[in-house]
Amino acid sequence: MRKLIVMLLAIMMVAVPVFAGGASEGGSSETINLVLSEVHAEGYPTTLADYEFARLVNERSNGRINIQVYSGGTLYGEETGSIEALQIGDLAFARVSASPVASYVPALNVIQLPYLYRDADHMWAVLNGEIGQQMLADIQTSGSGLVGLAYYDAGARNFYTVKPVRSLEDMKGLKIRLQNNAMMVEMAELLGANGVTGIGPNDVYSAIQQGTIDGAENNWPTYESMGDYEAAPYFTLDAHTRVPEILLASEAIMNTLSEEDQQLIKECAKETQEYEIEQWNLREKSAEEKVTAAGVEVIELSAEELAKFQERMAPLYTKYGAGYEDIIASIQNDY
Ligand code: BDP
């Protein structure tokens, strides 16, 4: 059934701009219907930003371009599924984490290396600066079939588990769910854990409950929103990664639109970044409050213990940073 809906949507998406022909140039009133896939629920900061993007595009195109948001992973529960649909032109937009995108655009691993940023301001200085904007543009020029429209905030990711992780030693042998990204799996393994992939974020809770995994890693809002805190009530604040979200478009579908419409879409996407960050900051705080009130144990690592986690990451810098040494040094020293 889901496949059928996706096919119908794809036909609508591809067919409408084609039939619109010179529509966009001549300013015809032909409606262009496009679909956006989102794994998060209604009300989540990225979902709110998706709707804001759709609203802006609709307004600026005088109602000509209509973007329908499908939240909660109803179209694609796994972000790799939505990324592949974008590549073949079956889907127009997806708001995804940069982590799975790096499987298609490896350079993106550089801006999500573990313990790279001091804090959110540091990350945003990089993303909004030359390095981040070049990486975003490179998504398209790399020939991935994807167009990077904008970055959103996703805070810092931390481990959460069924039993407390108070030291590096405690990570040993834990089955931890990671996003579909080889570097993230290696990160968990360098810490002594066993990395598990192939579980969509909406399925982490049941995987923990069933004992398939002993925990996962994510930011406060996802931990709260997906209900994972009820299954894995120990949250170890190691802030190992800051992985930005990315709003992606399908290059194949963008190419069916006029130059003006592509520009309009790009501008509207960029404009939603600040809005998402505001929503993010509110939700990050309220999610932390909610889960701690519900009895989650928040574990702070001593500086000495945290240094042990960080030291283990050196091989990732060598492997995934190869060819990008200057960029990494610049992120660390110039921002
Ligand atoms: C969340 C991201 C979402 C990812 C999810 C995950 O917002 O895009 O799918 O993590 O871990 O923080 O899969």
Side-chain angles (χ1 to χ4, degrees), residues 39-40 79 95-97 157 177 179 201 218-219 222 245:
V39 292
H40 284 298
E79 291 181 338
R95 195 294 311 159
V96 295
S97 164
R157 297 176 77 97
R177 178 268 178 188
Q179 293 172 288
N218 222 311
N219 48 45
T222 303
E245 315 280 18

Side-chain angles (χ1 to χ4, degrees), residues 119-175:
D119 52 25
D121 286 348
H122 184 196
M123 180 190 77
W124 277 114
V126 171
L127 297 184
N128 287 334
E130 209 186 309
I131 295 176
Q133 291 307 301
Q134 190 60 50
M135 288 268 177
L136 194 63
D138 286 350
I139 294 177
Q140 185 168 6
T141 52
S142 69
S144 62
L146 308 167
V147 182
L149 298 177
Y151 292 117
Y152 292 151
D153 208 336
R157 297 176 77 97
N158 302 277
F159 292 106
Y160 52 87
T161 41
V162 292
K163 52 181 193 185
V165 170
R166 303 186 196 284
S167 64
L168 183 59
E169 189 61 23
D170 292 335
M171 289 291 290
K172 204 174 264 172
L174 291 180
K175 290 188 282 268

Side-chain angles (χ1 to χ4, degrees), residues 204-219:
V204 170
Y205 173 84
S206 55
I208 298 171
Q209 275 211 322
Q210 286 159 13
T212 315
I213 49 175
D214 302 309
E217 45 85 59
N218 222 311
N219 48 45

